[in-house]
Amino acid sequence: MDWPESTEPLIVAFPRGRERDGGAAAGATVVEKNPLRWTSRYGSLVTTVYGIGGIDGINERGLAVHGLYLQSTDLGPRDASKPGLHAGLWAQYLLDQAATVAEALNLMDDIQLVMISARGRDATIHLALEDATGDSAIIEFDHGRQVVHHGREYTLMTNDPAYSDQLKLLSQQDFSHPSRDMPLPGNVNARDRFQRAAYYLALLPELDNVRQAVAGVMAIMRNVSVPFGAPYGEFGIYNTEYRTVTDLTRRTYFFELTTSPNTIWIELDRLDLTEGADTLAIDPYDESLIGDVTSRFTPHRAGF
């Protein structure tokens, strides 16, 4: 998560059976006509943004969703014949209702995303999805048209430009056979970070050791993060606030705050996600958190 200020994240566990309104956020009405309403089928664990929705997380079936900024996002004009879902709840809706990437993509056919703003900035995002079978997809919007890249090969995403243009970067250099002599782009912009991530991902071996696998993925993200504290905002690039890694098989969620030396993790299966259970949360800015923090969750009243 790269952003010009803290997104005030909370890590929240939602039980099944929660009723949601895809047209309301933080006491305001975002979608006035025909808002999407649903009752969650699956429990989930998400990292929130400004208390208006989840931007990153996993559900109890092993589907994970991650939202990142994409300046070129264009949701198009509102078509009130379709139920409207504000963009701040996009990730949460898919986690609530889908068990796989394929199911999540099918859910998008009958709804329309509607833009929402927070702190003066539009939620121009795209989503990366993956599930426990290894399937994955990238979803973007271009002039109101949904653009989907669906397949196990789509394992990287940064920010701008659009994903089709990002993929062209991989055709310019063969990162599938990395070597110590291969030159790498080293800037902090999303293009360079995309290419560096492709290079280092190609170096990772197949592992059945969870600890080493998580360490490998986290090492790549640290390498392509924007160094904290540098004044990059003047050219539209922002400091990295936090990093997450998701173990889809064991439904474990790892979280690393940039300003903290502690990596924390949560085992989803140890949380009570049954219908009627409390919504639970922890504040990742709590400096006492370290390691397995599943038992540190406390009841929380979420506004969405």
Side-chain angles (χ1 to χ4, degrees):
M1 172 56 69
D2 304 337
W3 203 238
E5 62 184 9
S6 173
T7 59
E8 301 175 8
L10 291 176
I11 305 177
V12 182
F14 288 107
R16 298 170 226 126
R18 185 176 178 89
E19 295 184 358
R20 299 194 197 273
D21 184 334
T29 299
V30 180
V31 183
E32 294 185 356
K33 294 183 179 180
N34 194 18
L36 178 68
R37 293 186 173 91
W38 72 95
T39 301
S40 61
R41 299 175 60 193
Y42 306 113
S44 61
L45 184 74
V46 302
T47 299
T48 65
V49 171
Y50 297 136
I52 63 172
I55 193 68
D56 185 278
I58 182 175
N59 71 14
E60 59 185 317
R61 294 295 299 272
L63 174 71
V65 180
H66 320 278
L68 288 180
Y69 181 74
L70 179 67
Q71 185 176 11
S72 62
T73 296
D74 182 352
L75 300 180
R78 173 76 175 113
D79 177 4
S81 68
K82 288 188 174 183
L85 171 68
H86 77 66
L89 280 177
W90 184 12
Q92 188 67 62
Y93 172 61
L94 299 181
L95 290 172
D96 281 353
Q97 303 300 86
T100 64
V101 168
E103 287 184 12
L105 295 177
N106 287 338
L107 287 172
M108 295 300 301
D109 292 340
D110 300 319
I111 66 169
Q112 184 185 33
L113 281 185
V114 179
M115 187 54 64
I116 187 175
S117 298
R119 308 292 175 86
R121 296 179 175 87
D122 288 344
T124 53
I125 61 174
H126 54 170
L127 289 189
L129 303 83
E130 69 273 355
D131 64 33
T133 73
D135 196 11
S136 68
I138 309 293
I139 311 176
E140 298 180 341
F141 281 87
D142 179 20
H143 294 87
R145 182 177 64 91
Q146 181 178 257
V147 181
V148 177
H149 300 268
H150 182 197
R152 298 170 68 95
E153 68 271 28
Y154 301 117
T155 56
L156 294 173
M157 186 178 84
T158 54
N159 308 108
D160 287 275
Y163 200 66
S164 57
D165 292 328
Q166 291 276 38
L167 292 176
K168 293 176 184 177
L169 297 175
L170 299 185
S171 65
Q172 297 172 9
Q173 194 165 4
D174 183 12
F175 293 108
S176 62
H177 297 89
S179 72
R180 66 179 185 178
D181 298 320
M182 181 180 289
L184 286 180
N187 210 315
V188 293
N189 64 61
R191 290 174 178 266
D192 283 20
R193 289 186 287 135
F194 184 85
Q195 291 180 294
R196 285 207 306 281
Y199 172 86
Y200 286 109
L201 183 61
L203 286 174
L204 289 186
E206 290 289 336
L207 294 169
D208 56 10
N209 181 302
V210 175
R211 193 178 187 90
Q212 292 180 13
V214 171
V217 175
M218 191 69 80
I220 292 176
M221 286 196 295
R222 290 172 183 146
N223 186 284
V224 300
S225 294
V226 180
F228 188 83
Y232 294 109
E234 62 189 44
F235 47 92
I237 295 171
Y238 305 116
N239 295 182
T240 298
E241 182 180 17
Y242 61 80
R243 294 169 281 266
T244 68
V245 176
T246 309
D247 180 346
L248 302 173
T249 305
R250 297 163 185 82
R251 291 169 295 281
T252 303
Y253 189 70
F254 299 82
F255 185 101
E256 181 179 72
L257 191 68
T258 304
T259 55
S260 172
N262 302 337
T263 298
I264 62 175
W265 60 87
I266 303 100
E267 295 180 3
L268 192 65
D269 293 350
R270 289 170 49 205
L271 296 170
D272 183 2
L273 302 178
T274 58
E275 184 172 350
D278 288 334
T279 296
L280 304 172
I282 57 171
D283 180 354
Y285 275 91
D286 179 351
E287 295 179 357
S288 70
L289 298 177
I290 185 170
D292 184 349
V293 297
T294 310
S295 63
R296 298 286 300 274
F297 278 73
T298 58
H300 172 71
R301 185 173 182 177
F304 63 93

